[in-house]
Amino acid sequence: MYIDLPEKMYYKIGEVAKAFGVKTSLIRYWEKEFKALKPKKNKNGSRLFTKKDIDVIHQIYQLIKEKGYTHEGAKQKMKENNLESTPKQAINTELIARLEKIKHELQQIKSHL
C-alpha cells in the first residue's frame, strides 16, 4: 500500500486515517491495542503522529488488512518482530514503502499514456 503523506514532523489523526483509507476510530483503537503505537498529544489532547508512528501503523495495517491477521495474531507478530532484529524489520519496511511509492508513480505515468 502506497502512503501519500507530505514530509513533516507531525501528522494529525485525520491525515493518517485518510492516508491509510481507514476511520480515525480504528487508529485510536490500534493505539490502545498496540503498545508500539504511542503518538504524542498536544495541550488540547490532539494526537500528533511522528514518522515512527506512521511506520508502526503501516506494519499493523499490513498485518491486519493485507495479510489477514487477527488483532491478537498481529499483536503476537509485532512482539516477535520486536524481539528479533528490529533494524532488519525497519529496513524491510522502508524498502517496501519505497517500492510501493515507485509502483504508484509508475501507475500514474501509465494512466497518463
Side-chain angles (χ1 to χ4, degrees):
M1 163 179 209
Y2 172 69
I3 305 165
D4 188 23
L5 283 173
E7 287 294 324
K8 56 185 189 177
M9 288 184 68
Y10 297 106
Y11 302 92
K12 293 182 180 178
I13 192 167
E15 295 173 307
V16 174
K18 185 176 178 182
F20 284 95
V22 297
K23 295 182 178 183
T24 56
S25 59
L26 182 60
I27 302 290
R28 288 191 297 272
Y29 175 74
W30 286 349
E31 178 188 348
K32 291 177 187 175
E33 292 295 314
F34 294 91
K35 294 179 181 180
L37 183 58
K38 295 180 185 177
K40 296 181 182 192
K41 293 186 181 179
N42 65 11
K43 62 182 176 182
N44 297 329
S46 299
R47 291 165 177 82
L48 300 173
F49 294 87
T50 62
K51 179 68 175 150
K52 180 184 173 207
D53 295 323
I54 301 299
D55 291 340
V56 171
I57 292 172
H58 191 245
Q59 288 177 0
I60 295 168
Y61 183 90
Q62 283 180 329
L63 291 172
I64 294 174
K65 298 289 187 176
E66 294 176 358
K67 294 184 179 179
Y69 281 70
T70 63
H71 282 85
E72 290 302 317
K75 281 186 208 178
Q76 184 65 31
K77 186 72 172 173
M78 294 282 288
K79 284 180 185 177
E80 289 172 11
N81 286 345
N82 287 339
L83 293 177
E84 294 173 1
S85 58
T86 305
K88 182 179 178 184
Q89 181 66 24
I91 291 170
N92 288 343
T93 304
E94 175 87 19
L95 182 59
I96 290 169
R98 286 183 185 179
L99 290 172
E100 288 172 346
K101 182 177 180 181
I102 291 168
K103 179 181 177 183
H104 179 73
E105 290 171 358
L106 289 172
Q107 287 173 338
Q108 284 184 329
I109 291 169
K110 181 180 177 182
S111 69
H112 289 308
L113 296 178

